[in-house]
């Protein structure tokens, strides 16, 4: 096989694989289900039970604003796995403040095939470290069978 025919074959395989991508509607998923985004809930277990997530799915973070019984929650996007493991918010990007989770919640579209690391950064990372308020998702492409 010549170099050109290998490239052509590779291109044909790429086009065939791309044509299998499904253009179906994305799902809207409430993080934590009926528990919402709350202190002490195990989001790792929840994610394992509710996966896989797909590209263009939307995660909804619902949480109550600060009160006498809750110190307030937020949603940060952490830059990498190490930041997620250690609850290091030094290079994190805030996505939703303490008040943006009320009502319909704060929505995040998983629009790329990459890992997403989310955590609540309140109380200097206490919610993340001790309250298990962290979640990661790696959305997959939708395939037509």
């Amino acid at each position: 096989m010549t170099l050109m025919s290998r490239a052509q074959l590779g291109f044909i395989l790429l086009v065939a694989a791309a044509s299998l991508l499904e253009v179906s509607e994305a799902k809207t998923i409430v993080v934590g289900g009926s528990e919402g985004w709350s202190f002490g809930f195990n989001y790792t277990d929840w994610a394992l039970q509710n996966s896989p997530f797909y590209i263009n799915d939307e995660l909804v973070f619902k949480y109550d604003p600060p009160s006498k019984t809750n110190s307030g929650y937020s949603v940060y996007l952490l830059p990498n796995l190490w930041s997620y493991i250690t609850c290091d918010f030094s290079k994190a990007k805030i996505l939703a403040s303490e008040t943006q989770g009320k009502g319909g919640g704060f929505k995040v579209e998983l629009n790329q095939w990459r890992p997403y690391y989310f955590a609540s950064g309140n109380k200097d990372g206490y919610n993340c470290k001790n309250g298990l308020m962290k979640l990661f998702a790696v959305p997959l492409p939708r395939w037509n069978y």
Side-chain angles (χ1 to χ4, degrees), residues 32-71:
S34 61
E35 296 293 320
W37 188 235
S38 60
F39 190 86
F41 187 84
N42 190 326
Y43 292 97
T44 301
D45 287 348
W46 175 85
L48 290 172
Q49 293 169 7
N50 290 275
S51 60
F53 303 111
Y54 294 96
I55 294 174
N56 296 327
D57 280 352
E58 191 173 63
L59 297 181
V60 181
F61 292 84
K62 290 186 176 187
Y63 50 94
D64 294 328
S67 67
K68 290 180 182 179
T69 58
N70 114 39
S71 63

Side-chain angles (χ1 to χ4, degrees), residues 5-143:
S5 62
R6 284 185 184 162
Q8 289 172 335
L9 179 61
F11 178 74
I12 291 169
L13 289 173
L14 180 64
V15 169
S19 70
L20 294 175
L21 287 176
E22 188 175 315
V23 229
S24 68
E25 285 189 40
K27 292 181 185 176
T28 299
I29 304 151
V30 176
V31 174
S34 61
E35 296 293 320
W37 188 235
S38 60
F39 190 86
F41 187 84
N42 190 326
Y43 292 97
T44 301
D45 287 348
W46 175 85
L48 290 172
Q49 293 169 7
N50 290 275
S51 60
F53 303 111
Y54 294 96
I55 294 174
N56 296 327
D57 280 352
E58 191 173 63
L59 297 181
V60 181
F61 292 84
K62 290 186 176 187
Y63 50 94
D64 294 328
S67 67
K68 290 180 182 179
T69 58
N70 114 39
S71 63
Y73 310 128
S74 58
V75 181
Y76 279 81
L77 181 64
L78 301 171
N80 54 49
L81 179 59
W82 183 251
S83 295
Y84 174 80
I85 291 169
T86 61
C87 294
D88 176 6
F89 291 85
S90 63
K91 295 182 181 165
K93 176 183 175 187
I94 188 158
L95 300 179
S97 70
E98 294 176 340
T99 58
Q100 288 178 281
K102 64 183 176 184
F106 178 79
K107 298 174 181 157
V108 177
E109 183 180 348
L110 304 175
N111 59 9
Q112 296 177 9
W113 183 35
R114 68 174 185 88
Y116 288 83
Y117 304 103
F118 301 105
S120 177
N122 293 50
K123 296 180 74 176
D124 293 325
Y126 182 83
N127 290 347
C128 178
K129 292 174 190 166
N130 297 21
L132 303 174
M133 292 188 74
K134 57 185 181 177
L135 163 74
F136 79 91
V138 182
L140 302 173
R142 294 183 190 274
W143 299 100

